[in-house]
Amino acid sequence: MAINSAPESSLLSLLYRSYPAAISPDETEPDLLAANPKVFPRTTYTPAEEADIKTWLATTSTLQSALTKDDKAAVTDLFAQINTHLATRTTLLGSKASVADIAAYALLAPVVEKWSPEERTGEKGYHHIVRHVDFVQNSRLFSLQIPEEEKVVIDVNDVKFVPKPVDAKAEKERKKKEKAAAEAAAAGTEKTVVVGQTKPEKAAKGDAAEAAPAAGKAEGKPKKEKKEKQPKAPKAAPAPAAPPSPSLIDLRVGHILRAINHPNADSLFVSTIDCGDAPGSDNTSLDEETGKTVRTVCSGLNGLIPLEEMQGRKIVAVCNLKPVTMRGIKSAAMVLAASPRVAEGEDSHAGPVELVTPPADAPAGDRIYFEGWNDGEPEKVLNPKKKVWETFQPGFTTTDGLEVAFESAAVPVAQSQEGKPALGKLVAKSGGVCTVKSLKGATVR
């Protein structure tokens, strides 16, 4: 791994250019922790987050010292620590921007620039550090004033090795088992097996079991009389199948805890979403940062919606589509969004795109359904062969009032169902209608 000595940090210059109202040009050693709320005045930080910022600033300082001394062992350890931390986070705090990210970028960017493709994204490369550098230098969340020619050139499609996504739940179970095994060994609780002590007993039982049937035959027991067969009752006629309905689709309120750029696809975001699942549910994991049960979701929204708009917000998620693996990451739901209707043959992904927003007070996991169509429970997993999603999605639309609704006239199997509304609004079980920002008469998918 190429390390070299620590580059001369351009942190102060970067701060002066990007945040002139927060950093005085006369300062030579600004208090970055005190400057943080001035740099990000719209972001509020908890005491714990402020402590984390202080810790990461100290870590960055330690790394700079190790780079200057060319202490390869210390540098490697610190790179590994930062890379592992960022594996499940967009920023050092999780999803919030801070001066700690900028300090880390100013130090790491010149180092990453010198790394070979193998050092960046090889099997032992630091994928997440590279992704963080690319995110900080380009995201409007930071709005850093960096000329294009000064940015680190990162090809998001040049990936030498695709690491498995971190499964927090599996990792926690593994550590738990290791701890239990260590405690058992220390306490000397492992059982001692005496060779030859248990097998004879088992063999004796086997001999007795074999002798019993033989004895029964020798005694000549009378055969049991056959019972007369009773006529079978006629089977009840199967209940008529319920007519197909959009209620088969599992729509829920989802809370995006954080979202990042997909490490191997420039059109995708990878979001960590709380969909209200019970712990241990299929296709979920435990988020170590929050302790919540979450789903990992890949969305083709990169370039259509700013990444900062995907952070810490509520959305509507489709939760019973069959999971798919997208460029090495398993996606277990879909984020619902609206876009203008296009003529056949035109690019349906050209934008603009707006996320569907559930009622503000609706909790994560709250059931979402179309009024007048809440006549059944969603299927656990939609059978792709039955094409339930493909059948009903053409009826998903937005009204002139910017409300999301189901238009039955657009779906042939829904047109003939009596007593159903022509236009059913998308509502939350706890109350309130789902909406979009500005797109009228749009398609929703």
Side-chain angles (χ1 to χ4, degrees):
M1 180 69 68
I3 293 178
N4 303 321
S5 59
E8 290 188 13
S9 173
S10 58
L11 176 59
L12 286 179
S13 174
L14 186 58
L15 291 170
Y16 294 153
R17 281 184 293 169
S18 306
Y19 313 106
I23 304 294
S24 169
D26 298 328
E27 294 184 76
T28 55
E29 294 184 8
D31 184 342
L32 295 181
L33 191 61
N36 190 71
K38 299 176 185 177
V39 174
F40 301 103
R42 297 182 180 179
T43 305
T44 56
Y45 301 90
T46 65
E49 288 170 337
E50 290 176 349
D52 284 343
I53 294 172
K54 185 176 181 181
T55 299
W56 281 111
L57 288 173
T59 300
T60 302
S61 179
T62 302
L63 176 58
Q64 184 169 11
S65 177
L67 285 166
T68 302
K69 296 175 182 177
D70 198 19
D71 185 344
K72 292 181 173 59
V75 169
T76 300
D77 287 345
L78 287 165
F79 280 168
Q81 177 188 342
I82 297 170
N83 191 68
T84 301
H85 180 78
L86 289 170
T88 55
R89 296 166 176 83
T90 304
T91 67
L92 290 172
L93 293 184
S95 60
K96 292 181 181 179
S98 74
V99 292
D101 293 288
I102 301 172
Y105 169 80
L107 179 62
L108 291 168
V111 178
V112 171
E113 189 171 30
K114 297 176 182 178
W115 284 348
S116 67
E118 186 66 29
E119 289 171 328
R120 291 185 181 192
T121 60
E123 185 171 359
K124 296 182 179 179
Y126 300 117
H127 295 241
H128 304 294
I129 289 178
V130 175
R131 188 266 309 157
H132 182 261
V133 165
D134 189 51
F135 175 65
V136 173
Q137 69 182 2
N138 292 306
S139 174
R140 283 191 288 176
L141 191 64
F142 294 92
S143 298
L144 294 178
Q145 300 302 306
I146 307 174
E148 286 298 320
E149 63 272 15
E150 291 183 16
K151 292 181 179 179
V152 181
V153 178
I154 295 173
D155 183 356
V156 295
N157 294 315
D158 186 11
V159 179
K160 303 301 179 185
F161 176 80
V162 179
K164 291 183 178 180
V166 177
D167 188 335
K169 182 180 178 182
E171 183 66 12
K172 189 173 182 180
E173 283 297 316
R174 183 185 66 78
K175 291 179 179 178
K176 186 177 179 181
K177 288 179 181 178
E178 286 183 357
K179 184 179 179 182
E183 290 176 351
T189 56
E190 294 184 4
K191 294 181 179 179
T192 303
V193 178
V194 180
V195 178
Q197 180 172 325
T198 55
K199 286 186 177 180
E201 182 183 346
K202 184 176 180 181
K205 288 182 179 178
D207 293 342
E210 288 177 7
K217 287 179 182 178
E219 290 173 5
K221 290 184 179 178
K223 294 182 179 180
K224 292 183 179 179
E225 293 182 4
K226 292 184 178 179
K227 292 184 179 179
E228 292 184 7
K229 291 184 178 180
Q230 298 294 327
K232 292 182 179 179
K235 292 183 178 179
S245 164
S247 64
L248 295 172
I249 301 171
D250 186 2
L251 299 173
R252 300 186 217 162
V253 174
H255 181 204
I256 301 179
L257 303 181
R258 67 191 72 89
I260 62 172
N261 291 311
H262 193 297
N264 308 321
D266 57 6
S267 65
L268 299 176
F269 288 142
V270 182
S271 302
T272 300
I273 306 180
D274 174 11
C275 294
D277 293 286
S281 299
D282 291 343
N283 304 310
T284 66
S285 61
L286 179 68
D287 182 49
E288 287 190 342
E289 186 174 334
T290 62
K292 294 180 178 179
T293 299
V294 297
R295 296 182 181 222
T296 298
V297 180
C298 297
S299 307
L301 299 171
N302 198 340
L304 298 171
I305 292 178
L307 184 58
E308 55 265 33
E309 288 189 19
M310 298 286 290
Q311 312 295 338
R313 64 162 294 157
K314 289 180 181 177
I315 49 87
V316 174
V318 184
C319 293
N320 62 343
L321 296 174
K322 187 175 180 180
V324 293
T325 299
M326 304 175 74
R327 292 289 189 93
I329 295 180
K330 185 178 179 182
S331 178
M334 185 175 76
V335 176
L336 214 56
S339 59
R341 296 184 183 278
V342 297
E344 188 174 349
E346 293 183 2
D347 184 3
S348 61
H349 298 281
V353 173
E354 296 177 357
L355 295 176
V356 174
T357 301
D361 297 334
D366 198 17
R367 175 82 189 281
I368 301 287
Y369 60 88
F370 293 102
E371 285 182 326
W373 293 92
N374 189 26
D375 46 9
E377 290 297 316
E379 292 189 352
K380 185 175 181 181
V381 179
L382 293 177
N383 186 340
K385 294 182 180 179
K386 293 183 179 180
K387 297 188 179 298
V388 174
W389 169 255
E390 293 82 356
T391 297
F392 290 100
Q393 183 276 323
F396 290 19
T397 188
T398 60
T399 68
D400 290 342
L402 304 179
E403 298 168 320
V404 181
F406 177 69
E407 186 177 10
S408 59
V411 179
V413 297
Q415 294 174 7
S416 59
Q417 296 189 34
E418 296 181 0
K420 297 297 184 182
L423 200 69
K425 295 179 182 178
L426 188 63
V427 297
K429 186 177 181 181
S430 59
V433 182
C434 299
T435 60
V436 294
K437 284 183 181 178
S438 64
L439 296 176
K440 300 178 181 180
T443 186
V444 177
R445 60 192 166 199

PDB file of all heavy atoms in Angstrom, residues 241-271:
ATOM      1  N   ALA A 241     -62.276 -17.134  -5.579  1.00  0.00           N
ATOM      2  CA  ALA A 241     -61.096 -16.302  -5.365  1.00  0.00           C
ATOM      3  C   ALA A 241     -61.486 -14.832  -5.326  1.00  0.00           C
ATOM      4  O   ALA A 241     -62.349 -14.381  -6.076  1.00  0.00           O
ATOM      5  CB  ALA A 241     -60.087 -16.546  -6.478  1.00  0.00           C
ATOM      6  N   ALA A 242     -60.847 -14.109  -4.401  1.00  0.00           N
ATOM      7  CA  ALA A 242     -61.120 -12.676  -4.308  1.00  0.00           C
ATOM      8  C   ALA A 242     -60.579 -11.983  -5.548  1.00  0.00           C
ATOM      9  O   ALA A 242     -59.548 -12.377  -6.098  1.00  0.00           O
ATOM     10  CB  ALA A 242     -60.451 -12.105  -3.063  1.00  0.00           C
ATOM     11  N   PRO A 243     -61.275 -10.977  -6.046  1.00  0.00           N
ATOM     12  CA  PRO A 243     -60.786 -10.263  -7.226  1.00  0.00           C
ATOM     13  C   PRO A 243     -59.451  -9.597  -6.933  1.00  0.00           C
ATOM     14  O   PRO A 243     -59.201  -9.173  -5.808  1.00  0.00           O
ATOM     15  CB  PRO A 243     -61.886  -9.227  -7.493  1.00  0.00           C
ATOM     16  CG  PRO A 243     -62.589  -9.059  -6.189  1.00  0.00           C
ATOM     17  CD  PRO A 243     -62.534 -10.402  -5.528  1.00  0.00           C
ATOM     18  N   PRO A 244     -58.568  -9.524  -7.919  1.00  0.00           N
ATOM     19  CA  PRO A 244     -57.258  -8.907  -7.692  1.00  0.00           C
ATOM     20  C   PRO A 244     -57.401  -7.439  -7.307  1.00  0.00           C
ATOM     21  O   PRO A 244     -58.327  -6.749  -7.739  1.00  0.00           O
ATOM     22  CB  PRO A 244     -56.546  -9.063  -9.036  1.00  0.00           C
ATOM     23  CG  PRO A 244     -57.640  -9.238 -10.038  1.00  0.00           C
ATOM     24  CD  PRO A 244     -58.732  -9.959  -9.320  1.00  0.00           C
ATOM     25  N   SER A 245     -56.466  -6.976  -6.470  1.00  0.00           N
ATOM     26  CA  SER A 245     -56.571  -5.621  -5.926  1.00  0.00           C
ATOM     27  C   SER A 245     -55.180  -5.075  -5.644  1.00  0.00           C
ATOM     28  O   SER A 245     -54.256  -5.839  -5.342  1.00  0.00           O
ATOM     29  CB  SER A 245     -57.388  -5.651  -4.625  1.00  0.00           C
ATOM     30  OG  SER A 245     -57.217  -4.463  -3.885  1.00  0.00           O
ATOM     31  N   PRO A 246     -54.998  -3.755  -5.715  1.00  0.00           N
ATOM     32  CA  PRO A 246     -53.693  -3.179  -5.345  1.00  0.00           C
ATOM     33  C   PRO A 246     -53.354  -3.374  -3.875  1.00  0.00           C
ATOM     34  O   PRO A 246     -52.222  -3.109  -3.460  1.00  0.00           O
ATOM     35  CB  PRO A 246     -53.844  -1.694  -5.703  1.00  0.00           C
ATOM     36  CG  PRO A 246     -55.303  -1.438  -5.732  1.00  0.00           C
ATOM     37  CD  PRO A 246     -55.929  -2.716  -6.199  1.00  0.00           C
ATOM     38  N   SER A 247     -54.343  -3.853  -3.073  1.00  0.00           N
ATOM     39  CA  SER A 247     -54.061  -4.111  -1.664  1.00  0.00           C
ATOM     40  C   SER A 247     -53.107  -5.284  -1.486  1.00  0.00           C
ATOM     41  O   SER A 247     -52.569  -5.494  -0.399  1.00  0.00           O
ATOM     42  CB  SER A 247     -55.360  -4.390  -0.895  1.00  0.00           C
ATOM     43  OG  SER A 247     -55.974  -5.584  -1.372  1.00  0.00           O
ATOM     44  N   LEU A 248     -52.855  -6.058  -2.562  1.00  0.00           N
ATOM     45  CA  LEU A 248     -51.888  -7.152  -2.497  1.00  0.00           C
ATOM     46  C   LEU A 248     -50.465  -6.625  -2.375  1.00  0.00           C
ATOM     47  O   LEU A 248     -49.552  -7.335  -1.963  1.00  0.00           O
ATOM     48  CB  LEU A 248     -52.001  -8.030  -3.756  1.00  0.00           C
ATOM     49  CG  LEU A 248     -53.314  -8.804  -3.949  1.00  0.00           C
ATOM     50  CD1 LEU A 248     -53.332  -9.463  -5.318  1.00  0.00           C
ATOM     51  CD2 LEU A 248     -53.499  -9.839  -2.853  1.00  0.00           C
ATOM     52  N   ILE A 249     -50.266  -5.359  -2.752  1.00  0.00           N
ATOM     53  CA  ILE A 249     -48.945  -4.740  -2.704  1.00  0.00           C
ATOM     54  C   ILE A 249     -48.717  -4.156  -1.309  1.00  0.00           C
ATOM     55  O   ILE A 249     -49.533  -3.395  -0.800  1.00  0.00           O
ATOM     56  CB  ILE A 249     -48.829  -3.638  -3.776  1.00  0.00           C
ATOM     57  CG1 ILE A 249     -49.066  -4.242  -5.168  1.00  0.00           C
ATOM     58  CG2 ILE A 249     -47.464  -2.964  -3.705  1.00  0.00           C
ATOM     59  CD1 ILE A 249     -49.196  -3.205  -6.259  1.00  0.00           C
ATOM     60  N   ASP A 250     -47.613  -4.532  -0.697  1.00  0.00           N
ATOM     61  CA  ASP A 250     -47.294  -4.106   0.673  1.00  0.00           C
ATOM     62  C   ASP A 250     -46.617  -2.731   0.639  1.00  0.00           C
ATOM     63  O   ASP A 250     -45.406  -2.622   0.462  1.00  0.00           O
ATOM     64  CB  ASP A 250     -46.379  -5.137   1.332  1.00  0.00           C
ATOM     65  CG  ASP A 250     -46.121  -4.847   2.809  1.00  0.00           C
ATOM     66  OD1 ASP A 250     -46.682  -3.863   3.329  1.00  0.00           O
ATOM     67  OD2 ASP A 250     -45.359  -5.603   3.445  1.00  0.00           O
ATOM     68  N   LEU A 251     -47.428  -1.684   0.804  1.00  0.00           N
ATOM     69  CA  LEU A 251     -46.922  -0.313   0.844  1.00  0.00           C
ATOM     70  C   LEU A 251     -46.837   0.131   2.297  1.00  0.00           C
ATOM     71  O   LEU A 251     -47.791  -0.027   3.056  1.00  0.00           O
ATOM     72  CB  LEU A 251     -47.854   0.622   0.068  1.00  0.00           C
ATOM     73  CG  LEU A 251     -48.037   0.314  -1.424  1.00  0.00           C
ATOM     74  CD1 LEU A 251     -49.108   1.219  -2.021  1.00  0.00           C
ATOM     75  CD2 LEU A 251     -46.726   0.502  -2.162  1.00  0.00           C
ATOM     76  N   ARG A 252     -45.688   0.683   2.680  1.00  0.00           N
ATOM     77  CA  ARG A 252     -45.505   1.123   4.066  1.00  0.00           C
ATOM     78  C   ARG A 252     -44.731   2.435   4.124  1.00  0.00           C
ATOM     79  O   ARG A 252     -44.013   2.793   3.191  1.00  0.00           O
ATOM     80  CB  ARG A 252     -44.687   0.098   4.868  1.00  0.00           C
ATOM     81  CG  ARG A 252     -45.263  -1.268   4.974  1.00  0.00           C
ATOM     82  CD  ARG A 252     -44.394  -2.091   5.925  1.00  0.00           C
ATOM     83  NE  ARG A 252     -44.272  -3.477   5.514  1.00  0.00           N
ATOM     84  CZ  ARG A 252     -43.333  -4.297   5.948  1.00  0.00           C
ATOM     85  NH1 ARG A 252     -42.415  -3.856   6.794  1.00  0.00           N
ATOM     86  NH2 ARG A 252     -43.274  -5.545   5.532  1.00  0.00           N
ATOM     87  N   VAL A 253     -44.846   3.103   5.265  1.00  0.00           N
ATOM     88  CA  VAL A 253     -44.004   4.264   5.535  1.00  0.00           C
ATOM     89  C   VAL A 253     -42.601   3.743   5.847  1.00  0.00           C
ATOM     90  O   VAL A 253     -42.428   2.826   6.644  1.00  0.00           O
ATOM     91  CB  VAL A 253     -44.528   5.082   6.739  1.00  0.00           C
ATOM     92  CG1 VAL A 253     -43.543   6.204   7.087  1.00  0.00           C
ATOM     93  CG2 VAL A 253     -45.894   5.657   6.430  1.00  0.00           C
ATOM     94  N   GLY A 254     -41.603   4.303   5.170  1.00  0.00           N
ATOM     95  CA  GLY A 254     -40.221   3.957   5.449  1.00  0.00           C
ATOM     96  C   GLY A 254     -39.474   5.195   5.908  1.00  0.00           C
ATOM     97  O   GLY A 254     -39.755   6.308   5.452  1.00  0.00           O
ATOM     98  N   HIS A 255     -38.536   5.012   6.826  1.00  0.00           N
ATOM     99  CA  HIS A 255     -37.701   6.132   7.299  1.00  0.00           C
ATOM    100  C   HIS A 255     -36.266   5.857   6.879  1.00  0.00           C
ATOM    101  O   HIS A 255     -35.639   4.921   7.370  1.00  0.00           O
ATOM    102  CB  HIS A 255     -37.806   6.254   8.823  1.00  0.00           C
ATOM    103  CG  HIS A 255     -37.000   7.388   9.385  1.00  0.00           C
ATOM    104  ND1 HIS A 255     -36.556   7.425  10.676  1.00  0.00           N
ATOM    105  CD2 HIS A 255     -36.541   8.529   8.814  1.00  0.00           C
ATOM    106  CE1 HIS A 255     -35.859   8.533  10.884  1.00  0.00           C
ATOM    107  NE2 HIS A 255     -35.838   9.218   9.753  1.00  0.00           N
ATOM    108  N   ILE A 256     -35.766   6.665   5.917  1.00  0.00           N
ATOM    109  CA  ILE A 256     -34.381   6.501   5.477  1.00  0.00           C
ATOM    110  C   ILE A 256     -33.459   7.025   6.576  1.00  0.00           C
ATOM    111  O   ILE A 256     -33.467   8.206   6.889  1.00  0.00           O
ATOM    112  CB  ILE A 256     -34.113   7.256   4.167  1.00  0.00           C
ATOM    113  CG1 ILE A 256     -35.036   6.759   3.052  1.00  0.00           C
ATOM    114  CG2 ILE A 256     -32.651   7.099   3.746  1.00  0.00           C
ATOM    115  CD1 ILE A 256     -34.855   7.479   1.730  1.00  0.00           C
ATOM    116  N   LEU A 257     -32.678   6.138   7.161  1.00  0.00           N
ATOM    117  CA  LEU A 257     -31.736   6.553   8.195  1.00  0.00           C
ATOM    118  C   LEU A 257     -30.509   7.206   7.574  1.00  0.00           C
ATOM    119  O   LEU A 257     -29.977   8.181   8.093  1.00  0.00           O
ATOM    120  CB  LEU A 257     -31.310   5.340   9.036  1.00  0.00           C
ATOM    121  CG  LEU A 257     -32.450   4.555   9.704  1.00  0.00           C
ATOM    122  CD1 LEU A 257     -31.877   3.407  10.519  1.00  0.00           C
ATOM    123  CD2 LEU A 257     -33.292   5.455  10.580  1.00  0.00           C
ATOM    124  N   ARG A 258     -30.079   6.654   6.435  1.00  0.00           N
ATOM    125  CA  ARG A 258     -28.939   7.231   5.716  1.00  0.00           C
ATOM    126  C   ARG A 258     -28.923   6.645   4.308  1.00  0.00           C
ATOM    127  O   ARG A 258     -29.471   5.562   4.068  1.00  0.00           O
ATOM    128  CB  ARG A 258     -27.617   6.941   6.433  1.00  0.00           C
ATOM    129  CG  ARG A 258     -27.208   5.495   6.458  1.00  0.00           C
ATOM    130  CD  ARG A 258     -26.047   5.247   7.402  1.00  0.00           C
ATOM    131  NE  ARG A 258     -26.485   5.363   8.791  1.00  0.00           N
ATOM    132  CZ  ARG A 258     -26.973   4.327   9.481  1.00  0.00           C
ATOM    133  NH1 ARG A 258     -27.096   3.148   8.926  1.00  0.00           N
ATOM    134  NH2 ARG A 258     -27.348   4.478  10.733  1.00  0.00           N
ATOM    135  N   ALA A 259     -28.304   7.376   3.387  1.00  0.00           N
ATOM    136  CA  ALA A 259     -28.166   6.902   2.010  1.00  0.00           C
ATOM    137  C   ALA A 259     -26.777   7.266   1.503  1.00  0.00           C
ATOM    138  O   ALA A 259     -26.227   8.300   1.869  1.00  0.00           O
ATOM    139  CB  ALA A 259     -29.244   7.523   1.119  1.00  0.00           C
ATOM    140  N   ILE A 260     -26.224   6.402   0.677  1.00  0.00           N
ATOM    141  CA  ILE A 260     -24.897   6.633   0.113  1.00  0.00           C
ATOM    142  C   ILE A 260     -24.926   6.335  -1.383  1.00  0.00           C
ATOM    143  O   ILE A 260     -25.870   5.716  -1.889  1.00  0.00           O
ATOM    144  CB  ILE A 260     -23.825   5.755   0.792  1.00  0.00           C
ATOM    145  CG1 ILE A 260     -24.135   4.260   0.557  1.00  0.00           C
ATOM    146  CG2 ILE A 260     -23.721   6.043   2.268  1.00  0.00           C
ATOM    147  CD1 ILE A 260     -23.034   3.319   1.029  1.00  0.00           C
ATOM    148  N   ASN A 261     -23.892   6.771  -2.093  1.00  0.00           N
ATOM    149  CA  ASN A 261     -23.730   6.376  -3.487  1.00  0.00           C
ATOM    150  C   ASN A 261     -23.359   4.899  -3.530  1.00  0.00           C
ATOM    151  O   ASN A 261     -22.555   4.422  -2.722  1.00  0.00           O
ATOM    152  CB  ASN A 261     -22.622   7.193  -4.152  1.00  0.00           C
ATOM    153  CG  ASN A 261     -23.007   8.651  -4.315  1.00  0.00           C
ATOM    154  OD1 ASN A 261     -24.081   8.956  -4.802  1.00  0.00           O
ATOM    155  ND2 ASN A 261     -22.137   9.549  -3.894  1.00  0.00           N
ATOM    156  N   HIS A 262     -23.956   4.171  -4.472  1.00  0.00           N
ATOM    157  CA  HIS A 262     -23.584   2.766  -4.648  1.00  0.00           C
ATOM    158  C   HIS A 262     -22.114   2.707  -5.051  1.00  0.00           C
ATOM    159  O   HIS A 262     -21.687   3.431  -5.952  1.00  0.00           O
ATOM    160  CB  HIS A 262     -24.461   2.140  -5.737  1.00  0.00           C
ATOM    161  CG  HIS A 262     -24.405   0.655  -5.800  1.00  0.00           C
ATOM    162  ND1 HIS A 262     -23.243  -0.036  -6.093  1.00  0.00           N
ATOM    163  CD2 HIS A 262     -25.363  -0.297  -5.607  1.00  0.00           C
ATOM    164  CE1 HIS A 262     -23.485  -1.333  -6.086  1.00  0.00           C
ATOM    165  NE2 HIS A 262     -24.766  -1.522  -5.791  1.00  0.00           N
ATOM    166  N   PRO A 263     -21.301   1.873  -4.390  1.00  0.00           N
ATOM    167  CA  PRO A 263     -19.860   1.852  -4.699  1.00  0.00           C
ATOM    168  C   PRO A 263     -19.542   1.355  -6.102  1.00  0.00           C
ATOM    169  O   PRO A 263     -18.460   1.623  -6.624  1.00  0.00           O
ATOM    170  CB  PRO A 263     -19.281   0.909  -3.638  1.00  0.00           C
ATOM    171  CG  PRO A 263     -20.429   0.052  -3.223  1.00  0.00           C
ATOM    172  CD  PRO A 263     -21.641   0.936  -3.307  1.00  0.00           C
ATOM    173  N   ASN A 264     -20.499   0.646  -6.741  1.00  0.00           N
ATOM    174  CA  ASN A 264     -20.203   0.037  -8.038  1.00  0.00           C
ATOM    175  C   ASN A 264     -21.158   0.455  -9.152  1.00  0.00           C
ATOM    176  O   ASN A 264     -21.148  -0.147 -10.224  1.00  0.00           O
ATOM    177  CB  ASN A 264     -20.237  -1.499  -7.918  1.00  0.00           C
ATOM    178  CG  ASN A 264     -19.362  -2.000  -6.799  1.00  0.00           C
ATOM    179  OD1 ASN A 264     -18.282  -1.479  -6.582  1.00  0.00           O
ATOM    180  ND2 ASN A 264     -19.825  -2.992  -6.065  1.00  0.00           N
ATOM    181  N   ALA A 265     -21.998   1.473  -8.914  1.00  0.00           N
ATOM    182  CA  ALA A 265     -22.951   1.907  -9.944  1.00  0.00           C
ATOM    183  C   ALA A 265     -23.265   3.383  -9.738  1.00  0.00           C
ATOM    184  O   ALA A 265     -23.809   3.762  -8.701  1.00  0.00           O
ATOM    185  CB  ALA A 265     -24.236   1.071  -9.869  1.00  0.00           C
ATOM    186  N   ASP A 266     -22.930   4.203 -10.743  1.00  0.00           N
ATOM    187  CA  ASP A 266     -23.101   5.648 -10.566  1.00  0.00           C
ATOM    188  C   ASP A 266     -24.546   6.106 -10.678  1.00  0.00           C
ATOM    189  O   ASP A 266     -24.853   7.265 -10.425  1.00  0.00           O
ATOM    190  CB  ASP A 266     -22.221   6.429 -11.552  1.00  0.00           C
ATOM    191  CG  ASP A 266     -22.505   6.047 -13.002  1.00  0.00           C
ATOM    192  OD1 ASP A 266     -23.443   5.271 -13.227  1.00  0.00           O
ATOM    193  OD2 ASP A 266     -21.777   6.531 -13.896  1.00  0.00           O
ATOM    194  N   SER A 267     -25.484   5.226 -11.046  1.00  0.00           N
ATOM    195  CA  SER A 267     -26.891   5.617 -11.139  1.00  0.00           C
ATOM    196  C   SER A 267     -27.694   5.228  -9.901  1.00  0.00           C
ATOM    197  O   SER A 267     -28.877   5.545  -9.799  1.00  0.00           O
ATOM    198  CB  SER A 267     -27.539   4.976 -12.374  1.00  0.00           C
ATOM    199  OG  SER A 267     -27.565   3.564 -12.235  1.00  0.00           O
ATOM    200  N   LEU A 268     -27.041   4.546  -8.954  1.00  0.00           N
ATOM    201  CA  LEU A 268     -27.771   3.996  -7.812  1.00  0.00           C
ATOM    202  C   LEU A 268     -27.376   4.648  -6.487  1.00  0.00           C
ATOM    203  O   LEU A 268     -26.228   5.012  -6.279  1.00  0.00           O
ATOM    204  CB  LEU A 268     -27.531   2.490  -7.703  1.00  0.00           C
ATOM    205  CG  LEU A 268     -27.966   1.613  -8.877  1.00  0.00           C
ATOM    206  CD1 LEU A 268     -27.563   0.166  -8.626  1.00  0.00           C
ATOM    207  CD2 LEU A 268     -29.472   1.703  -9.107  1.00  0.00           C
ATOM    208  N   PHE A 269     -28.381   4.772  -5.611  1.00  0.00           N
ATOM    209  CA  PHE A 269     -28.159   5.078  -4.205  1.00  0.00           C
ATOM    210  C   PHE A 269     -28.366   3.786  -3.413  1.00  0.00           C
ATOM    211  O   PHE A 269     -29.141   2.915  -3.815  1.00  0.00           O
ATOM    212  CB  PHE A 269     -29.161   6.118  -3.681  1.00  0.00           C
ATOM    213  CG  PHE A 269     -28.941   7.519  -4.181  1.00  0.00           C
ATOM    214  CD1 PHE A 269     -30.025   8.327  -4.496  1.00  0.00           C
ATOM    215  CD2 PHE A 269     -27.672   8.038  -4.319  1.00  0.00           C
ATOM    216  CE1 PHE A 269     -29.836   9.624  -4.951  1.00  0.00           C
ATOM    217  CE2 PHE A 269     -27.469   9.332  -4.769  1.00  0.00           C
ATOM    218  CZ  PHE A 269     -28.558  10.122  -5.088  1.00  0.00           C
ATOM    219  N   VAL A 270     -27.691   3.670  -2.288  1.00  0.00           N
ATOM    220  CA  VAL A 270     -27.932   2.556  -1.361  1.00  0.00           C
ATOM    221  C   VAL A 270     -28.424   3.160  -0.056  1.00  0.00           C
ATOM    222  O   VAL A 270     -27.702   3.916   0.594  1.00  0.00           O
ATOM    223  CB  VAL A 270     -26.657   1.721  -1.113  1.00  0.00           C
ATOM    224  CG1 VAL A 270     -26.967   0.554  -0.183  1.00  0.00           C
ATOM    225  CG2 VAL A 270     -26.083   1.214  -2.432  1.00  0.00           C
ATOM    226  N   SER A 271     -29.664   2.847   0.310  1.00  0.00           N
ATOM    227  CA  SER A 271     -30.280   3.446   1.493  1.00  0.00           C
ATOM    228  C   SER A 271     -30.484   2.404   2.591  1.00  0.00           C
ATOM    229  O   SER A 271     -30.763   1.234   2.317  1.00  0.00           O
ATOM    230  CB  SER A 271     -31.644   4.056   1.142  1.00  0.00           C
ATOM    231  OG  SER A 271     -31.517   5.034   0.131  1.00  0.00           O
TER     232      SER A 271
END
